[in-house]
Amino acid sequence: MSSGGGATESDDGGNGRTGRRPGHSGTRDAILAAARTRFAEVGFDKASIRSIATAAGVDPALVHHYFGTKQELLTAAMDIPIDPEVVLGRIRAVPLDRLGETIVRAVVGLWDSPAGVQAVVAIRSLIGGGEVSLARAFLLEVVLKEVRTRVDSPPGSGTTRASLAVSQMVGVLVARKIIGVEPLASMPVEELVRLVGPTLQRYLTGDLDLPG
């Protein structure tokens, strides 16, 4: 099977060809390029493994072989060396009234970790390179998708609430890790949790007086 358009399109595992083929690094790169384009065009939910495989000219089973789940593929496409489950697992474990402080603690703690250095570089590159659709898909459709569902009260407000939460955390990221605004840049994580957590909590569960 080559990395061009001659690959067979079949169901995942339909022909069992899941092993590595000659030139597998080129195959991996082709899948990543197709995934970046597809995620940016239609978003995470609407981009199927089959459509990404077709665009890359490979069997869908190879996408799973190299990247596992669609969520793992999106993380790889963004070149972020952090598993979103590190944050998602902590968010799932807390009650609704502690979401704000937990998100701030988990996300800022991650940014401040050794792995966070490369993650910040990747996000800066995505934004600077104009791949904002990819970053938006990652934030809203992976990182905050479950949060959006949990805070959807009144019904239909979940996306607005999640978007406001994203705006708050992106602002903190830019000020703390990219521009280096003091005292935010050197503020202890728990101080940030105390100051920013309540604002995030209000966005997620407070009365926003949204249009009916």
Side-chain angles (χ1 to χ4, degrees):
M1 192 187 305
S2 69
S3 60
T8 305
E9 183 184 357
S10 66
D11 292 335
D12 305 0
N15 57 22
R17 290 183 295 178
T18 58
R20 293 178 182 270
R21 63 182 184 173
H24 61 77
S25 63
T27 301
R28 188 178 189 280
D29 290 343
I31 294 170
L32 285 175
R36 290 188 187 103
T37 299
R38 192 67 180 153
F39 286 138
E41 287 177 347
V42 302
F44 179 78
D45 285 339
K46 293 182 180 179
S48 67
I49 291 293
R50 176 178 290 280
S51 68
I52 291 168
T54 299
V58 302
D59 190 283
L62 274 177
V63 180
H64 291 295
H65 173 71
Y66 284 112
F67 299 102
T69 66
K70 189 167 69 166
Q71 177 174 304
E72 290 169 328
L73 175 58
L74 177 58
T75 303
M78 292 188 64
D79 196 25
I80 292 181
I82 293 173
D83 184 353
E85 286 296 324
V86 173
V87 174
L88 293 176
R90 295 176 66 178
I91 293 173
R92 290 189 195 108
V94 300
L96 205 57
D97 61 359
R98 291 183 55 200
L99 274 179
E101 65 179 73
T102 301
I103 290 173
V104 176
R105 184 177 291 111
V107 172
V108 175
L110 203 55
W111 292 340
D112 289 352
S113 72
V117 174
Q118 188 177 339
V120 172
V121 170
I123 292 171
R124 189 203 305 255
S125 175
L126 280 169
I127 296 172
E131 294 182 327
V132 292
S133 296
L134 201 60
R136 183 169 58 245
F138 180 75
L139 286 170
L140 291 179
E141 299 183 43
V142 175
V143 177
L144 286 179
K145 182 175 182 177
E146 295 177 32
V147 172
R148 191 173 70 222
T149 302
R150 289 182 67 185
V151 301
D152 192 34
S153 179
S157 67
T159 298
T160 298
R161 291 182 182 279
S163 297
L164 288 168
V166 166
S167 73
Q168 183 73 32
M169 294 310 298
V170 168
V172 172
L173 169 64
V174 171
R176 183 175 176 88
K177 308 301 292 188
I178 296 178
I179 299 177
V181 176
E182 291 292 0
L184 197 62
S186 57
M187 188 175 290
V189 172
E190 287 305 312
E191 186 70 2
L192 270 174
V193 170
R194 184 180 70 83
L195 295 172
V196 179
T199 299
L200 211 64
Q201 189 68 44
R202 174 179 169 270
Y203 286 153
L204 293 171
T205 61
D207 184 4
L208 301 181
D209 193 24
L210 297 171

